[in-house]
Structures are given as C-alpha cells and as structure tokens.
Amino acid sequence: MLLEGKKLLITGVLMDSSIAFHVARLAQEQGAEVVLTSFGRTMRITQAISRRLPAPAPVIELDVQDTGHLETLAERVGEHVDHLDGVLHSIGFAPQGAFDFLGAAWEDVATAMQVSAYSLKALAVAALPRMSAGGSVVGLTFDAQYAWPVYDWMGVSKAAFEATSRYLARDLGPKGIRSNLVSAGPISTTAAKSIPEFGQFAQWSDHAPLGWDIKDPVPAAQACVALLSDWFPATTGEIVHVDGGFHATGF
C-alpha cells in the first residue's frame, strides 16, 4: 500500500488508455483517495471513465486556461478531500498549426506554451493551499533534449515544461514539496493521435535496450505512482526516463 492514506488530484484522465487513468487506478490500488479533473465536453467522458476505476472518483472542472477555474480549484477540491498529498499534471495541447515549426503563427505557439508548459506552474500554485510538507507534484514529459520529427512547437513547449519543473522544485522545496517529471516513451494515447505522423515512433522499440510497447502505459504510470509516494523524499527537480532506455543510446 504505497500510497495508503494519500489524497491525490489527477488531471488528464480521458480514456482508459491514458497514462493518467492508470496512475489513478494504481494509486487507488495502493491506498490513495483520488479526485479527477476535466472540463467542457470531455467532462462526461471523464465521469464515465472514472467508473472503470476500482472506486469511482469525483470529477471537478478545470480548464488551465481559465483563471476562474484555477483561483477556485483549492476550494472545490476541498469539497471532496481536506488536503492534497500529490498532484499529477497530465495536460498537453497544441493547435495543428504548431506542428509546422517554421510556419507556425504566434497564436498557435502561445496556446501550446500556455497549456503544455505554463500550466504546470499554474496547477501547482492553484493546488498549493491544499498541500503541505511531504507533498509531490509529478508531470509527464516527452524527452525535450532532442528536436523530434513532427513534434515541432510541442517539443519546444516540453522543453519549457521541463524547465518549469526545475523552477518549481526550487521554489516549492522550502515548503517541503517536490516537483519531478516522468519522461515516457511514445504511447498510443488519445493525445498522441493529434500529432501528425505519430506512427513514426513505432520503431522506438528497435533502439530501446529493454524494448518498448507503444500500447502499454502502465510502466510510466508506475513511475508516477512511485514519485507521488514517500519513497523519494529527497528527490526533486528530477526527470525519470521510462522509455525502455532509448534516451541512453545513440542507435
């Protein structure tokens, strides 16, 4: 029971193929109480998917581009749990125009950066009134040290996202709160389908020393659960790679 008694806020549960869904499932199996977020037309989908968890979880509305949602988040979370021990950031979006690096308009880039990078800080600050020493913020990234094919401004947003986590580690550390990321290999989630030519990543397993199953989100979810637990009490500002070892090799 790695998370026994913990209370977690988990974003990004859309389908049961998502990493966030499996984080929520594993967290409950390890003893945590979970609150989910969603917004707009996806609220009903998340509510339906939540019923596939070991225990149905409440779903509160959170659009990270809506300042009103962020300002009232702690209060609304308090309707379900009295405090938070951890937050999972599993949020990312870029308009189609942002997947054309040279041709992208600033409006598309700005949206990608706000939703996919700045939102980590915004979410952490919004949840902070419910968190105390020992808390953990965990986010999901896709290794931003490379210029990937087709990823374009989403890749730049992930680089900003990774830097944001380091600055959060700096500023939340004195409060006893950690900020870490899991860098997952490519996984066939709903979000991945919006990336043009995502199929190029199907060859990932050919270069990963441990191999890689593009359809299996569980290893990444397990790493998130571990970082949300008390088993990494002195680790912050870190990026844990869960990619079959791809990041450590050339070819």
Side-chain angles (χ1 to χ4, degrees):
M1 302 297 284
L2 199 62
L3 297 176
E4 187 170 7
K6 300 289 188 185
K7 302 178 191 298
L8 307 177
L9 181 67
I10 296 181
T11 68
V13 173
L14 183 57
M15 302 299 292
D16 54 10
S17 61
S18 66
I19 297 173
F21 173 85
H22 289 280
V23 173
R25 175 183 63 80
L26 290 167
Q28 287 186 341
E29 291 173 355
Q30 291 297 318
E33 188 175 348
V34 167
V35 177
L36 308 180
T37 75
S38 190
F39 74 99
R41 291 178 295 177
T42 63
M43 281 285 290
R44 289 185 179 181
I45 299 173
T46 302
Q47 289 166 343
I49 293 297
S50 77
R51 292 193 284 272
R52 300 183 187 180
L53 292 170
V59 182
I60 62 175
E61 188 164 24
L62 175 63
D63 177 353
V64 291
Q65 291 183 286
D66 188 319
T67 55
H69 286 185
L70 291 163
E71 289 170 355
T72 61
L73 179 66
E75 178 183 348
R76 292 183 291 118
V77 166
E79 297 173 4
H80 303 283
V81 293
D82 59 358
H83 72 278
L84 287 173
D85 298 291
V87 176
L88 178 76
H89 181 289
S90 181
I91 300 169
F93 171 75
Q96 283 299 303
F99 293 101
D100 176 2
F101 186 77
L102 295 181
W106 166 243
E107 291 75 14
D108 288 341
V109 173
T111 297
M113 293 289 283
Q114 181 183 9
V115 177
S116 306
Y118 178 81
S119 65
L120 178 63
K121 190 280 298 187
L123 176 62
V125 169
L128 193 56
R130 290 282 168 192
M131 298 186 74
S132 57
S136 176
V137 176
V138 177
L140 287 159
T141 190
F142 187 66
D143 201 334
Q145 64 180 318
Y146 303 109
W148 297 105
V150 311
Y151 212 42
D152 297 334
W153 284 100
M154 192 61 175
V156 177
S157 297
K158 286 298 186 183
F161 181 75
E162 293 178 4
T164 300
S165 180
R166 290 189 288 271
Y167 279 91
L168 274 179
R170 181 196 69 182
D171 289 356
L172 296 183
K175 302 178 186 298
I177 298 171
R178 296 163 283 138
S179 178
N180 294 290
L181 303 180
V182 170
S183 181
I187 297 172
S188 297
T189 62
T190 301
K193 294 177 182 177
S194 67
I195 301 173
E197 301 180 53
F198 178 79
Q200 291 189 33
F201 291 109
Q203 299 178 13
W204 193 276
S205 182
D206 295 341
H207 303 292
L210 291 175
W212 183 251
D213 185 351
I214 201 169
K215 297 180 180 179
D216 185 8
V218 173
Q222 289 174 314
C224 292
V225 167
L227 288 170
L228 287 166
S229 78
D230 294 332
W231 281 85
F232 286 86
T235 299
T236 194
E238 186 59 87
I239 300 176
V240 177
H241 289 81
V242 182
D243 60 1
F246 184 101
H247 71 283
T249 66
F251 283 101

